[in-house]
Amino acid sequence: MGHPVSLRGGGSGLALFLPDDLKCRGGTAMAAIEAEKLNFTYPDADRAALSDVTFSIPSGGFYLLMGPSGSGKSTLLRLLQGEIAPHGSLSGQLHCDSPAGFVFQNPQDSLVTDSVQRELAFSPEHVGLDGAAVARRVGECAAFFHLEPLMERTTASLSGGEQQLLSLAAAMTGSPRVLLLDEPCAALDPAAEEKFLQVLLRLNRELGVTVLMSTHTPGAALAQADGVLLLRAGRCTCYDDPHAFARALRQSGDPMLQALPVGAILFDEVPLTVREAQPLAAHLRCKPAPAPQPAGKSVLTLKEICFAYEKKSADVLFRLSLTLTAGKCYGIVGANGSGKSTLLGVMAGVLKPYAGKVQRPVPTALLPQTVQYLFTRDRVDQLVQAETLQHLGITHLAARHPLDLSGGESRLVGLGMVLDTGADTLLLDEPTAGLDAGAKAQLGARLRHLCAAGKTVVLVTHDLDFAGTYSDEAAFLCNRVVTPPRPRRAFFAGMELYTTGVRRVTCRALPDAVSPEDLVL
């Protein structure tokens, strides 16, 4: 077994530099992380979470950890990080170089202080460094991660992208040999995700830090990775080449293929970047855009809404107006910190604007971004009706404690609770976070069914491919106001940066294809 590892890491070298005992390995490709015949079962579980898992990741490797929701990804990462290892029955061999840093999906699970400066100082102070050494380490980390402008800010005032970057910086203050990341980009907008990945690659390429990152949507990270660990029902397959991984999914028709970059989905050559895929799009054709849906009755109207969290604080929403009609799915996209969750709170009546008017003639239900706030019972089947569990494909979770679920499983249980309210308007905050490709497709089909039955759905999401496929109309929230909703193809075809993978690949060949469903394949 590997040495126990600390949440932020210890180490005695300067921040961001590896300890001397790692450097003296002489450049050999020794394993930084490895498992042999690893088995793990949670207490009272009827099947193993991990079964006969064997793999090896060399020192300095950059590997992705993928698999369906509930396949054991979070369990494996937490076992590698000794201090947050789950309770249960463990057998086999498991090693992880220490110290190791850990970054959670939700940055609020990582942050332990109330200010940026204190967050960076926490680990150095915890291991007993003197004041001068702590100051040097904090200053170096702040400079490397470009956090100097944020040093006087509170952690609560940061955007989601800034909080996640701070979590990564705080993990690095302990000079870890290994970084373990549990879906760190799940709630980041495209720009924040790209920035986070660039910093992570610098840590790997320039400092030799070994990276193991779980993800459902690898995006640009797949082309940069050295390999992929694929977990399925607790069993592991290791691919030392991302292209081989993509080809294997394509040849087998695996549903997980839909999570890969769009070039791997569309073309036999499995290109993993937009640049590689664009020349192959010349032969594609797109279907004609459907006729616009007739407007139904109004189910939610916002008129000149102004909202701020405190009397003298800056407005988050200012003179925002929006009208939603029955039977449609609306996608609302925008940057981290732009006010999307705030907008949903105002729509739901959870937040009260200081000016403007909200008209809500039909029952409305909200799925919050942190779904655990909804869990007040000890079993899933005490929260969600049996029929709804079946519709969402999660009957196997009925007897589980909701706080023991993976991120994606928690999201589906929360969605089930919202569906059970019978509300006519459903407000969903990041509903696809933590979901695998198959679960997303099932969710999308369910939302279409609800809209066909007259329900209205509002998706606030950073998952542009999901919004580009399943929303009827989409809008962009920026500078405290929201643009008028437009049909999804017109909206995403008109965007340059906040657009879908299909649009990026086909923009030079096709006028308005934004989803695989828009293509003649």
Side-chain angles (χ1 to χ4, degrees):
M1 296 289 290
H3 298 294
V5 286
S6 113
L7 183 60
R8 291 284 174 76
S12 58
L14 289 175
L16 308 179
F17 291 92
L18 299 178
D20 290 338
D21 61 338
L22 183 60
K23 297 174 184 176
C24 71
R25 290 181 171 187
T28 58
M30 298 181 67
I33 307 172
E34 59 185 343
E36 184 176 354
K37 298 186 180 302
L38 177 69
N39 299 277
F40 180 80
T41 305
Y42 284 97
D44 301 324
D46 56 2
R47 64 181 180 87
L50 298 172
S51 181
D52 202 28
V53 170
T54 298
F55 66 88
S56 179
I57 295 177
S59 179
F62 188 107
Y63 275 66
L64 301 180
L65 178 60
M66 297 187 64
S69 299
S71 60
K73 300 185 300 296
S74 295
T75 298
L76 176 59
L77 290 174
R78 288 170 182 265
L79 286 171
L80 289 167
Q81 217 298 347
E83 291 190 354
I84 57 172
H87 295 290
S89 173
L90 177 69
S91 65
Q93 299 295 315
L94 183 64
H95 167 81
C96 180
D97 282 351
S98 62
F102 199 100
V103 178
F104 293 87
Q105 178 183 138
N106 183 351
Q108 296 177 3
D109 292 337
S110 298
L111 302 179
V112 295
T113 71
D114 60 356
S115 78
V116 173
Q117 186 160 348
R118 282 193 284 271
E119 191 70 24
L120 294 178
F122 179 83
S123 284
E125 291 176 345
H126 185 68
V127 298
L129 297 187
D130 61 48
V134 170
R136 287 195 301 272
R137 186 165 293 192
V138 168
E140 184 180 23
C141 227
F144 186 92
F145 289 92
H146 303 292
L147 295 174
E148 298 101 320
L150 307 178
M151 292 298 282
E152 301 303 320
R153 297 266 300 274
T154 64
T155 54
S157 71
L158 303 179
S159 71
E162 291 168 339
Q163 286 183 340
Q164 198 63 292
L165 191 62
L166 175 60
S167 296
L168 179 60
M172 287 303 300
T173 58
S175 300
R177 294 171 171 158
V178 172
L179 273 175
L180 307 168
L181 305 99
D182 193 358
E183 296 190 54
C185 300
L188 300 188
D189 66 71
E193 180 178 0
E194 181 180 0
K195 182 178 180 180
F196 186 89
L197 178 59
Q198 288 174 347
V199 173
L200 192 60
L201 287 169
R202 280 192 67 194
L203 295 173
N204 174 255
R205 305 299 196 252
E206 298 177 18
L207 304 177
V209 177
T210 305
V211 173
L212 179 59
M213 179 175 74
S214 75
T215 179
H216 284 301
T217 52
L222 185 60
Q224 302 288 342
D226 298 311
V228 179
L229 301 182
L230 175 60
L231 278 178
R232 191 182 301 278
R235 296 184 177 274
C236 180
T237 305
C238 183
Y239 296 89
D240 290 325
D241 174 24
H243 284 89
F245 169 69
R247 281 191 293 271
L249 294 187
R250 185 172 174 83
Q251 290 167 3
S252 65
D254 194 301
M256 280 190 59
L257 176 68
Q258 302 304 314
L260 300 193
V262 68
I265 300 172
L266 297 178
F267 307 116
D268 292 335
E269 295 86 346
V270 292
L272 299 182
T273 67
V274 171
R275 184 176 65 178
E276 294 171 342
Q278 278 185 343
L280 302 174
H283 71 279
L284 294 177
R285 293 182 297 127
C286 66
K287 303 172 185 175
Q293 293 179 251
K297 67 176 182 178
S298 174
V299 296
L300 186 64
T301 302
L302 307 180
K303 294 183 178 180
E304 297 286 311
I305 294 297
C306 299
F307 178 86
Y309 280 97
E310 297 178 5
K311 277 189 175 182
K312 296 184 179 180
S313 64
D315 288 317
V316 180
L317 308 174
F318 185 70
R319 301 186 67 180
L320 182 149
S321 296
L322 180 66
T323 298
L324 307 180
T325 59
K328 290 185 180 180
C329 180
Y330 293 89
I332 298 179
V333 301
N336 285 107
S338 61
K340 299 185 301 298
S341 295
T342 301
L343 176 59
L344 283 191
V346 170
M347 289 179 173
V350 176
L351 301 175
K352 305 296 183 184
Y354 71 81
K357 187 175 183 180
V358 181
Q359 295 178 335
R360 198 182 303 107
V362 298
T364 301
L366 171 67
L367 175 70
Q369 192 169 145
T370 306
V371 294
Q372 288 79 6
Y373 293 156
L374 302 177
F375 299 159
T376 58
R377 301 291 183 88
D378 295 333
R379 287 172 54 109
V380 168
D381 56 7
Q382 295 172 341
L383 297 171
V384 183
Q385 296 175 13
E387 183 179 0
T388 305
L389 291 175
Q390 185 175 5
H391 282 316
L392 294 175
I394 53 173
T395 54
H396 61 288
L397 303 179
R400 296 276 299 277
H401 194 292
L403 297 181
D404 289 338
L405 304 178
S406 71
E409 292 168 339
S410 297
R411 186 74 47 183
L412 290 174
V413 170
L415 178 63
M417 296 177 68
V418 170
L419 294 177
D420 283 344
T421 66
D424 293 306
T425 301
L426 307 178
L427 310 175
L428 310 180
D429 197 346
E430 297 293 348
T432 64
L435 297 189
D436 60 64
K440 286 183 185 180
Q442 192 170 8
L443 171 61
R446 184 63 182 164
L447 297 182
R448 283 178 173 167
H449 174 79
L450 291 169
C451 290
K455 304 282 188 181
T456 302
V457 176
V458 181
L459 304 172
V460 156
T461 183
H462 293 305
D463 191 338
L464 303 182
D465 290 321
F466 188 83
T469 299
Y470 294 104
S471 61
D472 297 304
E473 297 185 4
F476 191 76
L477 181 60
C478 180
N479 196 28
R480 305 177 295 175
V481 297
V482 66
T483 63
R486 300 179 67 197
R488 64 169 183 89
R489 286 178 69 165
F491 175 83
F492 285 105
M495 301 291 281
E496 295 289 337
L497 302 176
Y498 280 78
T499 194
T500 66
V502 167
R503 181 58 185 164
R504 291 175 188 271
V505 168
T506 65
C507 61
R508 298 176 183 174
L510 300 174
D512 65 348
V514 302
S515 163
E517 295 184 358
D518 303 330
L519 300 172
V520 178
L521 299 175

